[in-house]
Short mmCIF file of all heavy atoms in Angstrom, two decimals:
data_model
loop_
_atom_site.label_atom_id
_atom_site.label_comp_id
_atom_site.label_asym_id
_atom_site.label_seq_id
_atom_site.Cartn_x
_atom_site.Cartn_y
_atom_site.Cartn_z
N THR A 1 4.58 -0.14 12.73
CA THR A 1 4.92 -0.76 11.45
C THR A 1 3.65 -1.21 10.73
O THR A 1 3.50 -1.01 9.53
CB THR A 1 5.87 -1.96 11.66
OG1 THR A 1 6.99 -1.52 12.42
CG2 THR A 1 6.35 -2.51 10.33
N LEU A 2 2.72 -1.78 11.48
CA LEU A 2 1.44 -2.20 10.90
C LEU A 2 0.72 -0.99 10.31
O LEU A 2 0.25 -1.03 9.17
CB LEU A 2 0.57 -2.85 11.99
CG LEU A 2 -0.84 -3.19 11.53
CD1 LEU A 2 -1.09 -4.70 11.67
CD2 LEU A 2 -1.89 -2.47 12.35
N CYS A 3 0.68 0.09 11.07
CA CYS A 3 0.00 1.31 10.62
C CYS A 3 0.65 1.86 9.35
O CYS A 3 -0.02 2.20 8.37
CB CYS A 3 0.06 2.34 11.75
SG CYS A 3 -0.91 3.82 11.49
N ARG A 4 1.97 1.89 9.33
CA ARG A 4 2.70 2.47 8.20
C ARG A 4 2.69 1.56 6.97
O ARG A 4 2.89 2.02 5.84
CB ARG A 4 4.13 2.80 8.61
CG ARG A 4 4.20 3.91 9.65
CD ARG A 4 5.57 3.98 10.30
NE ARG A 4 6.59 4.39 9.37
CZ ARG A 4 6.92 5.65 9.10
NH1 ARG A 4 6.30 6.61 9.74
NH2 ARG A 4 7.85 5.95 8.24
N ALA A 5 2.47 0.26 7.19
CA ALA A 5 2.40 -0.66 6.05
C ALA A 5 1.12 -0.44 5.23
O ALA A 5 1.10 -0.71 4.02
CB ALA A 5 2.44 -2.11 6.54
N ILE A 6 0.08 0.06 5.89
CA ILE A 6 -1.22 0.17 5.22
C ILE A 6 -1.17 1.14 4.04
O ILE A 6 -1.88 0.97 3.07
CB ILE A 6 -2.32 0.54 6.24
CG1 ILE A 6 -2.55 -0.64 7.20
CG2 ILE A 6 -3.64 0.91 5.54
CD1 ILE A 6 -3.39 -0.32 8.40
N ASN A 7 -0.32 2.18 4.11
CA ASN A 7 -0.19 3.02 2.92
C ASN A 7 1.21 2.95 2.32
O ASN A 7 1.66 3.87 1.67
CB ASN A 7 -0.62 4.46 3.20
CG ASN A 7 0.30 5.15 4.16
OD1 ASN A 7 1.18 4.52 4.73
ND2 ASN A 7 0.11 6.44 4.35
N ARG A 8 1.88 1.81 2.56
CA ARG A 8 3.16 1.51 1.93
C ARG A 8 4.29 2.45 2.35
O ARG A 8 5.27 2.58 1.65
CB ARG A 8 3.06 1.55 0.41
CG ARG A 8 2.63 0.25 -0.23
CD ARG A 8 3.82 -0.58 -0.69
NE ARG A 8 3.43 -1.63 -1.63
CZ ARG A 8 3.02 -2.85 -1.31
NH1 ARG A 8 2.94 -3.20 -0.06
NH2 ARG A 8 2.70 -3.73 -2.22
N LEU A 9 4.16 3.12 3.49
CA LEU A 9 5.32 3.84 4.02
C LEU A 9 6.36 2.82 4.46
O LEU A 9 7.55 3.12 4.50
CB LEU A 9 4.91 4.74 5.20
CG LEU A 9 4.16 6.01 4.82
CD1 LEU A 9 3.71 6.74 6.06
CD2 LEU A 9 5.03 6.93 3.96
N GLU A 10 5.90 1.65 4.85
CA GLU A 10 6.79 0.51 5.11
C GLU A 10 6.45 -0.58 4.10
O GLU A 10 5.32 -1.07 4.10
CB GLU A 10 6.57 -0.05 6.52
CG GLU A 10 7.08 0.82 7.64
CD GLU A 10 8.59 0.86 7.72
OE1 GLU A 10 9.27 0.17 6.94
OE2 GLU A 10 9.08 1.61 8.58
N PRO A 11 7.37 -0.96 3.22
CA PRO A 11 7.08 -2.08 2.33
C PRO A 11 6.99 -3.37 3.13
O PRO A 11 7.63 -3.51 4.17
CB PRO A 11 8.29 -2.10 1.38
CG PRO A 11 9.36 -1.37 2.10
CD PRO A 11 8.71 -0.41 3.05
N ILE A 12 6.16 -4.29 2.66
CA ILE A 12 6.01 -5.57 3.38
C ILE A 12 6.79 -6.66 2.64
O ILE A 12 7.11 -6.52 1.47
CB ILE A 12 4.53 -5.96 3.52
CG1 ILE A 12 3.84 -6.08 2.15
CG2 ILE A 12 3.80 -4.96 4.42
CD1 ILE A 12 2.42 -6.63 2.22
N GLY A 13 7.09 -7.74 3.38
CA GLY A 13 7.81 -8.85 2.76
C GLY A 13 6.89 -9.72 1.94
O GLY A 13 7.19 -10.05 0.79
N SER A 14 5.75 -10.08 2.52
CA SER A 14 4.78 -10.91 1.79
C SER A 14 3.40 -10.65 2.36
O SER A 14 3.23 -10.05 3.42
CB SER A 14 5.13 -12.40 1.93
OG SER A 14 5.12 -12.78 3.30
N GLY A 15 2.39 -11.13 1.62
CA GLY A 15 1.00 -10.93 2.04
C GLY A 15 0.31 -9.92 1.16
O GLY A 15 0.87 -9.42 0.17
N LEU A 16 -0.94 -9.62 1.50
CA LEU A 16 -1.79 -8.75 0.70
C LEU A 16 -2.36 -7.65 1.59
O LEU A 16 -2.80 -7.91 2.71
CB LEU A 16 -2.94 -9.57 0.11
CG LEU A 16 -4.07 -8.80 -0.58
CD1 LEU A 16 -3.63 -8.31 -1.94
CD2 LEU A 16 -5.31 -9.67 -0.71
N ILE A 17 -2.34 -6.41 1.08
CA ILE A 17 -3.02 -5.30 1.75
C ILE A 17 -3.94 -4.65 0.74
O ILE A 17 -3.51 -4.31 -0.38
CB ILE A 17 -2.03 -4.26 2.31
CG1 ILE A 17 -1.08 -4.91 3.31
CG2 ILE A 17 -2.79 -3.10 2.98
CD1 ILE A 17 -0.01 -3.98 3.85
N GLU A 18 -5.20 -4.49 1.10
CA GLU A 18 -6.16 -3.80 0.25
C GLU A 18 -6.74 -2.61 1.00
O GLU A 18 -6.97 -2.68 2.21
CB GLU A 18 -7.32 -4.73 -0.14
CG GLU A 18 -6.93 -5.87 -1.06
CD GLU A 18 -8.11 -6.78 -1.39
OE1 GLU A 18 -9.15 -6.71 -0.69
OE2 GLU A 18 -7.98 -7.57 -2.34
N VAL A 19 -6.98 -1.52 0.27
CA VAL A 19 -7.70 -0.37 0.80
C VAL A 19 -8.93 -0.17 -0.07
O VAL A 19 -8.81 -0.02 -1.29
CB VAL A 19 -6.82 0.90 0.82
CG1 VAL A 19 -7.65 2.11 1.24
CG2 VAL A 19 -5.65 0.72 1.77
N ASP A 20 -10.10 -0.23 0.55
CA ASP A 20 -11.37 -0.07 -0.17
C ASP A 20 -11.46 -1.05 -1.35
O ASP A 20 -11.89 -0.70 -2.45
CB ASP A 20 -11.52 1.37 -0.65
CG ASP A 20 -12.97 1.71 -1.00
OD1 ASP A 20 -13.87 0.94 -0.60
OD2 ASP A 20 -13.20 2.73 -1.68
N GLY A 21 -11.01 -2.28 -1.10
CA GLY A 21 -11.15 -3.34 -2.10
C GLY A 21 -10.08 -3.38 -3.16
O GLY A 21 -10.09 -4.26 -4.02
N LYS A 22 -9.13 -2.43 -3.12
CA LYS A 22 -8.08 -2.41 -4.15
C LYS A 22 -6.74 -2.78 -3.53
O LYS A 22 -6.35 -2.22 -2.51
CB LYS A 22 -7.98 -1.02 -4.77
CG LYS A 22 -9.25 -0.59 -5.50
CD LYS A 22 -9.04 0.76 -6.18
CE LYS A 22 -10.35 1.32 -6.71
NZ LYS A 22 -11.22 1.86 -5.66
N PRO A 23 -6.01 -3.72 -4.15
CA PRO A 23 -4.68 -4.07 -3.63
C PRO A 23 -3.76 -2.85 -3.69
O PRO A 23 -3.85 -2.04 -4.61
CB PRO A 23 -4.19 -5.16 -4.59
CG PRO A 23 -5.39 -5.62 -5.33
CD PRO A 23 -6.37 -4.48 -5.35
N LEU A 24 -2.87 -2.77 -2.72
CA LEU A 24 -1.92 -1.64 -2.67
C LEU A 24 -0.93 -1.75 -3.81
O LEU A 24 -0.23 -2.74 -3.92
CB LEU A 24 -1.12 -1.72 -1.36
CG LEU A 24 -1.59 -0.93 -0.16
CD1 LEU A 24 -0.49 -0.94 0.88
CD2 LEU A 24 -1.95 0.50 -0.51
N PRO A 25 -0.86 -0.73 -4.66
CA PRO A 25 0.19 -0.75 -5.69
C PRO A 25 1.56 -0.59 -5.03
O PRO A 25 1.67 0.00 -3.96
CB PRO A 25 -0.14 0.47 -6.56
CG PRO A 25 -1.44 1.00 -6.07
CD PRO A 25 -1.65 0.49 -4.70
N ALA A 26 2.58 -1.14 -5.67
CA ALA A 26 3.92 -1.08 -5.07
C ALA A 26 4.50 0.32 -5.14
O ALA A 26 5.22 0.76 -4.25
CB ALA A 26 4.84 -2.07 -5.78
N GLU A 27 4.23 1.05 -6.22
CA GLU A 27 4.86 2.37 -6.39
C GLU A 27 4.14 3.13 -7.49
O GLU A 27 3.16 2.66 -8.07
CB GLU A 27 6.35 2.21 -6.75
CG GLU A 27 6.57 1.35 -7.95
CD GLU A 27 8.01 0.83 -8.04
OE1 GLU A 27 8.69 0.74 -7.01
OE2 GLU A 27 8.43 0.53 -9.15
N GLY A 28 4.65 4.32 -7.78
CA GLY A 28 4.17 5.07 -8.93
C GLY A 28 2.88 5.83 -8.68
O GLY A 28 2.47 6.06 -7.56
N ARG A 29 2.25 6.21 -9.78
CA ARG A 29 1.10 7.11 -9.73
C ARG A 29 -0.09 6.47 -9.01
O ARG A 29 -0.82 7.15 -8.29
CB ARG A 29 0.71 7.49 -11.16
CG ARG A 29 -0.23 8.67 -11.23
CD ARG A 29 -0.42 9.13 -12.64
NE ARG A 29 0.77 9.76 -13.19
CZ ARG A 29 0.93 10.10 -14.46
NH1 ARG A 29 -0.03 9.83 -15.32
NH2 ARG A 29 2.03 10.68 -14.87
N LEU A 30 -0.27 5.18 -9.21
CA LEU A 30 -1.40 4.50 -8.56
C LEU A 30 -1.24 4.52 -7.04
O LEU A 30 -2.21 4.68 -6.31
CB LEU A 30 -1.53 3.06 -9.06
CG LEU A 30 -2.06 2.90 -10.48
CD1 LEU A 30 -1.96 1.46 -10.94
CD2 LEU A 30 -3.50 3.38 -10.56
N LEU A 31 0.00 4.36 -6.58
CA LEU A 31 0.24 4.40 -5.13
C LEU A 31 -0.04 5.81 -4.61
O LEU A 31 -0.66 5.97 -3.56
CB LEU A 31 1.67 3.99 -4.81
CG LEU A 31 2.04 4.03 -3.33
CD1 LEU A 31 1.16 3.11 -2.51
CD2 LEU A 31 3.50 3.68 -3.12
N ALA A 32 0.39 6.82 -5.35
CA ALA A 32 0.12 8.21 -4.94
C ALA A 32 -1.38 8.46 -4.83
O ALA A 32 -1.86 9.11 -3.90
CB ALA A 32 0.77 9.18 -5.92
N ARG A 33 -2.13 7.91 -5.78
CA ARG A 33 -3.58 8.09 -5.77
C ARG A 33 -4.20 7.40 -4.56
O ARG A 33 -5.09 7.93 -3.90
CB ARG A 33 -4.17 7.52 -7.07
CG ARG A 33 -5.58 7.99 -7.36
CD ARG A 33 -6.05 7.50 -8.71
NE ARG A 33 -5.20 7.98 -9.80
CZ ARG A 33 -5.17 7.42 -11.02
NH1 ARG A 33 -5.91 6.36 -11.28
NH2 ARG A 33 -4.38 7.91 -11.95
#
């Protein structure tokens, strides 16, 4: 679950996840990028 949360395959309840300094977008084109 931890692994899959990092690229939003599992949505999280609360907290912050960043990849390379950018917060994970919830959905849409930015998430795909």
